[in-house]
Amino acid sequence: MFNENVVLCASNSYEKKYYFNPDFDKLPEDIKNELKIMCVLFTEEVGGILDLEFDEDGTLLFKSSADEEDLLYDEIACGMLIKKNQYEKRDLLESLEMFYKVFFLGLDE
């Protein structure tokens, strides 16, 4: 059986758009706003597209990509900013993982 990751939210610097998965509407507004700010600031700084996705185990992944022709996309800054967000937003990210594991995967943790 093939499992696909579940997108929580995404930001696209090319189209200047932000997407939040409506399946997660039960999250508090302040958490949704914090995710939006984090994702949009990320793509404004490094460019490209950022997806926050849950894998089949409930781990929240940062996935950044860029168009092949995008010479301004900064891969080094991307990696550093992902690590920075993972460190500074650790409590938020761990809470989101717990929420996903309990309400979507049905796990008792």
Side-chain angles (χ1 to χ4, degrees):
M1 186 166 122
F2 181 76
N3 290 325
E4 280 193 35
N5 290 348
V6 175
V7 175
L8 170 62
C9 56
S11 180
N12 184 323
S13 69
Y14 305 117
E15 298 179 13
K16 303 289 185 210
K17 290 188 178 180
Y18 173 78
Y19 167 79
F20 183 81
N21 187 338
D23 291 343
F24 295 93
D25 274 344
K26 289 188 190 317
L27 287 172
E29 285 301 314
D30 59 332
I31 290 176
K32 291 191 253 185
N33 290 334
E34 190 169 350
L35 286 168
K36 182 175 184 177
I37 291 166
M38 181 179 69
C39 291
V40 171
L41 288 177
F42 182 97
T43 54
E44 286 297 313
E45 185 169 333
V46 300
I49 300 167
L50 175 68
D51 294 328
L52 294 185
E53 303 177 357
F54 291 102
D55 68 10
E56 64 273 358
D57 297 324
T59 302
L60 188 58
L61 308 172
F62 284 70
K63 290 195 170 182
S64 181
S65 60
D67 288 344
E68 231 176 80
E69 308 85 35
D70 187 353
L71 300 176
L72 298 177
Y73 179 73
D74 190 343
E75 287 186 46
I76 295 170
C78 172
M80 291 171 50
L81 194 52
I82 287 173
K83 294 256 188 253
K84 179 182 176 193
N85 279 322
Q86 288 173 328
Y87 177 75
E88 290 179 355
K89 307 283 186 184
R90 180 177 52 245
D91 290 341
L92 169 68
L93 301 174
E94 288 174 356
S95 296
L96 288 166
E97 287 179 344
M98 182 64 66
F99 175 86
Y100 184 77
K101 288 175 182 178
V102 169
F103 291 102
F104 287 80
L105 299 180
L107 302 178
D108 296 330
E109 291 213 21

